[in-house]
Each structure stands twice: as structure tokens, then as C-alpha cells.
Amino acid sequence: MEGWDPQNLILPEVGKLCRSQSEYLDQHFKTQKDVSSSSTSSCLLSEWTKHCSDYDNRLLHLRTTLMDRTLSWISSSFRAKASLSNLNLTLSSSSQYGTALKRLLGEELRLLALQLHRIHFIRQYVGYELSSSLTITETALRLEALVGDLEDVVFSSGNHRPGNMFAKFSTLLTSQDFGVKEERLLKAIKAMNDIEEIIVNVEKSQQWHHLLKSVDHRVDKTLAVLRPEVLAEHRALLASFGWPPKLLASKVESGGLSKLLNPLLLMHGDEKKSYAQSFHVLCALQQLHSRREARKFKTLGQKECEIRLWAIDELVSPLAVRMEYHFVKWAEQPEFMFALVYRVTRDFMEGVSDILQPLVDSARLRSYSANEAWVSAMVHILSGFLTKNVFPALAERYKEKDMKLEVISLWLHLVDLIVAFDKQMQSLLRYETCLLFPDAQRRGISMLIVFCDRPDWLKIWAKMELKDGWKKLKAVLKDAKAWQIDDKHRVDFDVSTICETFLLSSREAHKAPFVAESALKIAQEMIDRCQTLPVILARAKFVRSTVARFFWYFSNVLLLHCRNAELSPAELDGSSLVRACESINAARYVESKLQEWSDDASFLEMKIAENNSNMEEQHQGFYDDCFFEEEIKCLAELETNWLMEIVAVLLRQFENLTLEYNHAEDSNVFIEALQSLKNQLHVLKKNLNGKDFLDLWRSVADGLDHFICGSILGGDVKFSKKQSNEFGTDMQALFHVFQPFCARPEAFFPCIRDILKLLAMGGEEVKHLLVGKKSEKYMQSYGISHLRFDQVEKTLRKLKF
């Protein structure tokens, strides 16, 4: 080293140095004195000499490995060449041509393919080794250096025992002391972040699995030491300025809600600065932990952890201990638990927003909300207590038959408190705009998460809700007004407003009885109580077990109400028709509401979750967007069946009343039947909703058209001119019955209209029609379009001229 002068050494420009070189120089040459120091230079020289020796040894090892693999490739090449030579000799032997061909196809060709594949693989491998051997070595050495630096920081001399990293600082609370500790911690965190950066880049090539696994193990071991120490220091700092505050539970019991003092707002000077430093370290450590967990979840398939703010959890943890002391005393008065948690959460929100949120932002935790983390952690206190101490006992008591009623009352009371509490807590966040993880946040903010984690409790709750809803409906059914329809909506059918009557929306427009509205309100209450269930699939299961089953029960109520109407052609009165209309209207109204609910975004989400959870049905091509499809089908089937039942009864009664009517001699019988039909249609028009009444009277008209046409074609009556006129008069009376429902009622009796045209023909027209072409076009030329030619012929032969 004689003659070596650092002052005369020409160094490269600072901007041309890479990052690692700059860091290395900054670390060893902090001052001008370090540059001139011979001791520093000699230490570095020995260190560099050792590194060069290590690199030479590694390079020699790589060259030896490369030579071995090259020789192996040459050996394989020789074997392949020998196989090709043998194959050539075999094929060139003319006396054994057939045998050689069989050997070629059977064995030699397969061996040849294997040898070629090996040669190709070895050639690729050798080429890759030559190009990347230096990169592999540099990366491995870089990882080793970083992990070594990390372990030096954490397991430095004087702190040999795990968990004793900052023992000498444990009693000091000045901002200067925390600055020293913060520097060491941030240095360790930076080393772990650099390690993580390299691991992420290396994992992209999906190589060195064992090396990365080893590095992960060493870093995890370091974190296992680092995190408890950081948390212990943070807790000690919190305790130093009076956290947690005292909780005056007596004021909660007496109804007093005076505001609690917030120690966060009382911090000043060094306390505030030290807390900010500790907060930043904790956030940096959590950010590193979250980054590693996200990478492991992506590449290793490990479970993704819940994203929370550790600094907020450390504020809440000592509060939870004090609160649970009061919770135990309030086991029979759970409303006090909810009141205490809400009061503490609300009173400290100002400090969380003003003190903690700026710290979160300065820690570069993007899109994290201190308010959301605070509310979520406070909710977790109460949900954890209920999960461990309240619901398990209630679930056990529910199994005892004589205790069921009491347990149901207590359970549903708790659910009422939870639903109201969720609304209160979420109202504290109504101005929040930062929601990076909406599902995770919703899970934390809702108390109903206890049912998502315990499906057996969810099932018990659903049974209770269904039983309670059915109890409420039975109480409604006992009321005499349950099946009443508002009289002001029982208006006459007006052709001029026919379109408006089919735009059904309200219960009154559907002419549905009060019991239908009551059933929907009971179901809506069930839906509202589960709206804050944070897991969509759990919410769907709850609605299936409560609301869907409730409407199946309600459809049975409507069916029984119809059957009690006792519709009979022999004794058909207005009261029985009204009873049937009540059930049909109720079914129509509930069906429309269920369709409206199914179109709502929340129900679409639940249906999608159900479809995704049932992959077998998706593979079979089953997919439907309507959540209440089965319930809607059931109600629609009830409507259709009983509308057809009414139509059938009306037609059978008309048939019974016109048995003596011979279409020619006695019109009084026919008029009496029409009068009875008119009265019954009037009752139906007054009590049945507009859409179903439209279908009903058109079905009745179609049935009468076919019935009268069939009786003429099947009878032996002959029509003279006078009798034809009388029949036409009777049919005009029939049309008049349906006149209030449409402008041209004869359009709904096409067969009768064709018969009237045939009966009005003269002799010559009849002859031409009978001897003419038996085609539809020919008959249409005479205005006949709904009767077949045989029916036309039979009708014309009944004419007397």
C-alpha cells in the first residue's frame, strides 16, 4: 500500500454510481476522516479480498459443473449417433427387411425420440447456464447480504435474547430516544422491504423455490421477534399518557351520556412527537406484513389475512378489557353494552379523525381510513363478547323444549339491538369516501358477522324469525278486516280508462285485501333485519329460510281461502266469487312485489352468489336472475288455476240454465241465463283486479263462443228466416252483456259471427258456397274465416227456404 494516496485517486462521478455502490460508500465513508484512515482502508481491503476469493471459488464451481454437464451432453450425443448407425445397418440389410421394419416401429424409433429430446434439453440448459450463471450468483449474494444485515440489526450484540431488542430504551419516553429506536426499526423494515422486492422479481421466473423458502423462513423468524417488541413499546407509550381512559359505566345505566375525555387530544410536545414516531413504525411494519401476506396468498396459495390497522387495534385492546368487565354485569341488560360501545366510539371519533388520520396519511397507507378501522375495532369488541359469552348459552338453552319461548324472545331482542347498533355505527361513517376494501370493511362494521361465522346460529335465527313472522300473520288473519278490499276502489269498468286499470302498482290498484299488505310488511321486516349481514351468501340463505318459506305458507293460506269459497254451478252466489277474488288479488299483488324485489340490486347480488356457489347447476346451463322465481311461479299458478275454475263454473252454470233452449222457439230461457251471467260478471268486475278480470271475461267469451257454436252444429234444429232472425237477436243480447268491457264485443265471438253470416245468406249464395271450392280462401271470400268447410256445410243444411 506504499505510495497509495486517496487524495490522488480519480473516482467516477457520483451520478454514474449505481444505488448499491452509493449506499456501500455512504455506509463506510461517512466523513473525510474515514477516507484518509488507513485502518478503514485495510479492513475494507481484507473484506474485498475475501469477497474476491469467494467469487473465484463460486466461479470455479460453476465452471466444473458446466464441464460435467457438457461431457454428459457429448456422451448422450455419441449414444444417439451409435443408435442412428445401428438403425442404418439394420435397414440396409435386404434379407431381414421385414424384421428391421418391425424393430424400427416397435423400439428403435422410441429410443431415437428420447435421445433427441435429451440432446435438445441439454443444449438449452447449457446455453441458459452460460447466460445466467452470473445473474444467479449476484441475486443469491444480494439476498444473503440483506438477510444478514437484517439479522445483525435485530439480533445485535447486547440483545441476544429474543424479545429484548429495545430493553435499554424501555424506561425512556423522550422524542430523542424514540428517534434512535425509530431509526433502527426503520432500517430493519427497509432491509425487509428490499428483500421482498428481490423475492417478487425472482418469483416471476418460478425458480429457486428452496432458496426463497429459506429466505422467507429467516425473515418470518425476524418478524416474530420484531413485532412483539414494537407492540410492547407502543403499549408502554400509550400507558404513559393515560390510555385507556376511565369509563363511567354508571352514567350509561342512569341514561347519562356526558362526553368522555379523549387522551389523544391532550397530547402535546414530546408526547405527541413520540407517539407519531411509534405510530409510523407500527404502520410501516404492518405495510410490510400486508405486502408479504399478499405475495404469499398470490404465489403460495396461503390464506389472505384480514386487513386492519394495528395502531388502532392497540388503542382498542385495553379498552376491551375494561368494557368486558361491565359487559359481564349487564348479561341481563344487553342494551347497556350497546350503549357503552356506541358512546365510546362516538366520543373518540374526533381524536381519531384529527390525530390518527393525518398519521395514517403521512405513513403512506393509501386508501386506509382511521375512522373505519376505529369503528370496526370497536364493533369487534362487542361481537367478540357476544360470540364467546352470550349466543353459545342461548343456543344451548334453545335445545330445551320448555325454554324455547324465552330464548326466542331474548334472541330476537338481541337481534333488534344489533340491527339498531349497526345503523348507529354506520351512521358515524356516512361521510367517509375512502373504501378500498368494501367487503372487508362491511364484515368488520356489522355485528351480524357473528352469524356468518356460525351457520348453526344463522339457522336458529332464521327459524325464530319465521316462527315470529307466522305468529304475526295468524294474528292478522283473526281480524275481521283482514280480507276486506277498499270500497272506493271497487269502481265500475270503464272502456275509456281501460289502459290505466292495467297499470297496477299499489295494493288498492290490485284490489288486494289488507292481509296481503300485512304479509309483505312482515316479510320486509325480515329482509331489513338481515340487510347488514356482511356475507352475501349468508344473507341469501337467511332470506331463503325466512322470507321465501313465509310466502310458501302464505300461498297455502290463499289456497285454503279459495277452497272455502265452495264454487259450484248449482249454487253460485256473489259471496263465493268475492272470496275467490280476494285470494287471486292477493296473489297477484304479492307476485308483483316479489318481482319488484327480485329486480333490486341487493337481490341480484344474492342470486349471483347462489349461482356461483352452485357450480354444478351452472355447468348444466341453469341460471336465473330472479331470486323469488319459485315463489312467483307458485302464486301465478294459484291465480291461473282459480281464474280457470271461475270460468269453468260460469260456463257450466250457463250450460245448465240453457239446456231447454233450442235456439229457435224459447228465448226466455236464454235471456235468463244471460242475466245471471251479467250479474256474476258485474260482481267479478267490481272485486277482481283489472288484469285478471280482462283475462277472465275474454276466456268466458271464448268458452261461450265454442259452446253455442257446438250446440248448433250438434243439434237438430232447422232455421227458417224468422228463426234465424230470433237467433240473431239472442246473440245481440249476448254481445250486449260484454259491451261494458270493450268497444266491439262481437269480435270475441268469431264462430257465432260466422254462423250469423251463414244464416243470413240467400238460396243462391248457399248453393254457390256448397258447390264451390272447399278451400279457406274461397270461404273467406264470403266472410267466413273461423269455421271449417264441414261445419259450414252442416250449418247451411239447417236452413229452410
Side-chain angles (χ1 to χ4, degrees):
M1 299 294 295
E2 294 183 2
W4 179 80
D5 186 2
Q7 300 292 335
N8 300 324
L9 183 66
I10 300 176
L11 298 176
E13 296 179 5
V14 177
K16 295 182 180 180
L17 295 176
C18 65
R19 180 181 175 184
S20 60
Q21 293 171 338
S22 299
E23 290 177 353
Y24 185 84
L25 293 174
D26 291 340
Q27 182 180 1
H28 292 87
F29 300 101
K30 297 181 179 179
T31 65
Q32 184 67 28
K33 184 178 180 180
D34 293 335
V35 178
S36 304
S37 174
S38 60
S39 59
T40 304
S41 302
S42 60
C43 291
L44 289 179
L45 179 60
S46 61
E47 181 182 349
W48 292 342
T49 302
K50 184 179 180 299
H51 284 326
C52 291
S53 178
D54 291 339
Y55 288 144
D56 289 338
N57 291 334
R58 289 190 179 95
L59 184 58
L60 180 60
H61 175 71
L62 287 173
R63 288 174 178 173
T64 303
T65 303
L66 182 60
M67 183 64 67
D68 291 341
R69 291 177 179 175
T70 304
L71 291 174
S72 176
W73 171 74
I74 295 172
S75 177
S76 299
S77 178
F78 286 158
R79 286 197 299 270
K81 183 178 180 181
S83 298
L84 290 173
S85 299
N86 293 334
L87 177 62
N88 185 36
L89 291 174
T90 301
L91 293 177
S92 62
S93 178
S94 59
S95 60
Q96 299 179 350
Y97 180 80
T99 305
L101 184 59
K102 290 181 180 179
R103 289 185 60 195
L104 170 65
L105 296 177
E107 181 178 0
E108 298 291 338
L109 197 58
R110 180 179 63 84
L111 294 175
L112 175 63
L114 288 175
Q115 293 295 338
L116 289 174
H117 178 71
R118 289 172 184 167
I119 292 171
H120 178 70
F121 174 76
I122 292 172
R123 181 180 297 167
Q124 283 189 329
Y125 189 81
V126 169
Y128 177 78
E129 288 291 331
L130 289 172
S131 62
S132 62
S133 60
L134 293 178
T135 303
I136 293 173
T137 304
E138 291 175 358
T139 303
L141 290 175
R142 178 65 174 162
L143 279 174
E144 177 62 30
L146 287 172
V147 174
D149 291 343
L150 172 63
E151 291 174 340
D152 289 342
V153 172
V154 177
F155 304 106
S156 59
S157 61
N159 295 301
H160 298 295
R161 291 181 301 153
N164 197 30
M165 178 181 174
F166 306 108
K168 62 180 180 180
F169 301 109
S170 59
T171 59
L172 302 177
L173 296 174
T174 66
S175 61
Q176 182 179 1
D177 294 330
F178 275 102
V180 173
K181 288 182 287 186
E182 181 190 22
E183 182 181 354
R184 299 184 67 188
L185 285 168
L186 293 178
K187 185 177 180 181
I189 294 172
K190 179 181 181 301
M192 287 186 283
N193 274 314
D194 291 341
I195 292 170
E196 190 66 21
E197 189 71 31
I198 295 176
I199 290 176
V200 170
N201 293 330
V202 167
E203 279 184 337
K204 293 178 181 178
S205 61
Q206 299 180 353
Q207 295 178 1
W208 312 329
H209 173 73
H210 295 291
L211 173 63
L212 299 185
K213 188 176 181 181
S214 174
V215 171
D216 266 336
H217 175 73
R218 292 170 67 181
V219 174
D220 287 339
K221 185 178 178 181
T222 305
L223 279 172
V225 174
L226 198 61
R227 181 179 175 184
E229 292 297 335
V230 173
L231 293 177
E233 289 295 319
H234 192 77
R235 290 165 187 167
L237 182 61
L238 289 174
S240 69
F241 59 78
W243 188 274
K246 294 182 179 180
L247 304 177
L248 302 178
S250 59
K251 293 187 177 182
V252 176
E253 296 176 357
S254 62
L257 294 175
S258 59
K259 192 169 184 179
L260 298 172
L261 292 178
N262 190 346
L264 295 175
L265 297 176
L266 301 179
M267 292 188 302
H268 296 287
D270 287 347
E271 277 188 347
K272 191 172 184 180
K273 187 175 182 180
S274 297
Y275 179 75
Q277 291 171 344
S278 181
F279 191 98
H280 283 156
V281 171
L282 200 55
C283 288
L285 192 61
Q286 180 182 0
Q287 195 171 31
L288 169 67
H289 176 78
S290 301
R291 182 182 180 188
R292 288 176 55 79
E293 292 299 315
R295 188 255 303 170
K296 291 179 181 179
F297 174 74
K298 181 179 179 181
T299 60
L300 303 179
Q302 296 183 8
K303 184 179 179 181
E304 189 174 17
C305 63
E306 183 179 359
I307 298 177
R308 301 168 65 175
L309 280 176
W310 292 352
I312 298 294
D313 289 344
E314 291 306 310
L315 287 173
V316 171
S317 180
L319 277 176
V321 176
R322 292 194 175 183
M323 285 185 173
E324 288 183 4
Y325 170 78
H326 300 291
F327 291 168
V328 174
K329 298 188 299 181
W330 295 332
E332 301 299 326
Q333 297 170 303
E335 56 272 14
F336 291 152
M337 303 181 196
F338 291 90
L340 177 61
V341 175
Y342 174 69
R343 195 186 87 176
V344 172
T345 307
R346 181 200 62 191
D347 290 352
F348 292 160
M349 281 288 284
E350 181 181 357
V352 172
S353 300
D354 296 345
I355 304 297
L356 301 187
Q357 187 59 51
L359 293 178
V360 171
D361 296 337
S362 62
R364 297 181 180 180
L365 292 177
R366 292 176 298 178
S367 298
Y368 275 80
S369 168
N371 285 344
E372 288 178 356
W374 167 252
V375 172
S376 175
M378 293 299 294
V379 168
H380 186 71
I381 294 177
L382 187 51
S383 64
F385 180 82
L386 295 180
T387 301
K388 295 177 182 177
N389 303 283
V390 179
F391 280 111
L394 289 177
E396 287 297 320
R397 290 169 61 189
Y398 182 72
K399 298 176 182 178
E400 304 175 14
K401 188 174 182 181
D402 55 343
M403 296 294 294
K404 276 196 173 184
L405 292 178
E406 180 183 353
V407 172
I408 290 175
S409 177
L410 292 174
W411 192 298
L412 294 181
H413 177 57
L414 264 178
V415 172
D416 289 337
L417 293 174
I418 287 174
V419 172
F421 178 76
D422 280 351
K423 292 180 179 178
Q424 285 182 319
M425 299 300 275
Q426 291 174 7
S427 69
L428 297 175
L429 300 172
R430 62 183 180 273
Y431 299 117
E432 290 294 311
T433 58
C434 182
L435 285 170
L436 181 61
F437 303 101
D439 293 337
Q441 294 293 343
R442 191 175 182 183
R443 283 181 66 90
I445 293 174
S446 175
M447 281 282 294
L448 293 180
I449 186 63
V450 299
F451 296 108
C452 299
D453 297 333
R454 290 293 301 268
D456 53 334
W457 294 354
L458 182 69
K459 188 175 181 181
I460 292 174
W461 176 29
K463 287 182 178 179
M464 292 178 178
E465 288 287 355
L466 180 60
K467 188 172 184 179
D468 185 63
W470 180 239
K471 181 180 177 181
K472 292 177 182 178
L473 183 63
K474 287 195 291 186
V476 172
L477 290 171
K478 292 179 182 179
D479 191 347
K481 297 181 180 179
W483 294 99
Q484 286 186 0
I485 302 174
D486 293 347
D487 289 335
K488 63 181 180 180
H489 290 281
R490 295 183 176 184
V491 296
D492 289 340
F493 202 96
D494 186 0
V495 177
S496 62
T497 61
I498 188 170
C499 294
E500 297 178 6
T501 60
F502 302 140
L503 300 177
L504 308 180
S505 57
S506 64
R507 179 187 66 83
E508 292 80 5
H510 283 85
K511 299 183 181 179
F514 292 107
V515 68
E517 190 71 55
S518 299
L520 287 169
K521 286 182 179 179
I522 293 171
Q524 185 65 61
E525 289 174 1
M526 296 180 188
I527 295 171
D528 292 340
R529 286 161 71 82
C530 75
Q531 278 300 307
T532 55
L533 265 172
V535 179
I536 297 177
L537 191 58
R539 203 181 327 142
K541 290 180 179 178
F542 179 84
V543 174
R544 289 282 181 214
S545 300
T546 55
V547 179
R549 293 187 64 182
F550 176 78
F551 281 118
W552 281 103
Y553 293 161
F554 183 65
S555 65
N556 289 332
V557 171
L558 298 180
L559 181 61
L560 182 62
H561 189 68
C562 280
R563 288 175 178 173
N564 292 337
E566 296 180 353
L567 297 175
S568 172
E571 299 178 2
L572 185 62
D573 56 6
S575 61
S576 60
L577 290 175
V578 170
R579 198 177 185 94
C581 289
E582 290 167 351
S583 286
I584 294 172
N585 292 342
R588 170 68 70 178
Y589 179 50
V590 172
E591 177 193 345
S592 68
K593 284 298 179 182
L594 290 182
Q595 185 63 59
E596 180 181 321
W597 289 353
S598 295
D599 293 337
D600 186 76
S602 62
F603 283 95
L604 291 174
E605 285 180 344
M606 287 189 282
K607 187 60 183 178
I608 292 172
E610 285 184 332
N611 289 332
N612 291 339
S613 68
N614 195 338
M615 299 302 295
E616 182 179 354
E617 287 186 350
Q618 276 195 331
H619 291 325
Q620 293 174 354
F622 175 80
Y623 189 89
D624 184 69
D625 293 334
C626 185
F627 187 85
F628 291 107
E629 183 191 16
E630 294 300 322
E631 292 74 21
I632 290 174
K633 284 182 179 178
C634 179
L635 293 169
E637 185 178 350
L638 185 146
E639 299 167 37
T640 302
N641 290 345
W642 283 96
L643 280 174
M644 291 300 99
E645 182 68 19
I646 294 175
V647 171
V649 170
L650 291 176
L651 293 177
R652 286 199 298 270
Q653 186 190 53
F654 187 86
E655 181 182 3
N656 293 339
L657 294 176
T658 58
L659 287 176
E660 299 179 359
Y661 175 58
N662 60 5
H663 307 288
E665 298 178 359
D666 190 1
S667 295
N668 292 331
V669 173
F670 188 77
I671 298 302
E672 291 176 2
L674 289 180
Q675 186 61 44
S676 175
L677 176 64
K678 181 179 180 180
N679 294 336
Q680 290 155 359
L681 289 176
H682 178 73
V683 172
L684 292 168
K685 174 187 63 175
K686 188 176 181 181
N687 293 278
L688 193 60
N689 68 82
K691 186 178 186 307
D692 284 330
F693 181 72
L694 174 67
D695 295 337
L696 182 137
W697 74 256
R698 288 182 172 180
S699 297
V700 171
D702 184 67
L704 290 175
D705 187 48
H706 285 85
F707 168 69
I708 294 175
C709 179
S711 64
I712 293 176
L713 296 175
D716 298 328
V717 179
K718 299 292 184 178
F719 288 91
S720 62
K721 188 66 174 178
K722 178 181 178 182
Q723 292 167 332
S724 297
N725 292 335
E726 291 177 354
F727 176 76
T729 302
D730 292 343
M731 294 305 102
Q732 291 300 321
L734 173 64
F735 300 157
H736 183 73
V737 171
F738 293 87
Q739 186 69 50
F741 316 139
C742 59
R744 294 179 61 253
E746 61 273 11
F748 296 93
F749 298 88
C751 295
I752 294 177
R753 195 173 64 229
D754 283 354
I755 290 176
L756 290 175
K757 291 178 182 178
L758 293 174
L759 295 180
M761 287 184 178
E764 292 299 323
E765 286 182 302
V766 171
K767 289 180 181 179
H768 285 298
L769 190 55
L770 288 175
V771 300
K773 297 180 181 179
K774 299 179 181 180
S775 65
E776 292 183 2
K777 290 185 178 180
Y778 185 74
M779 290 190 295
Q780 288 175 1
S781 64
Y782 286 88
I784 310 300
S785 56
H786 293 84
L787 294 178
R788 302 190 306 273
F789 184 83
D790 60 319
Q791 294 174 327
V792 171
E793 184 179 17
K794 189 178 293 185
T795 302
L796 292 176
R797 296 192 183 281
K798 293 178 179 294
L799 293 175
K800 295 190 298 184
F801 295 100

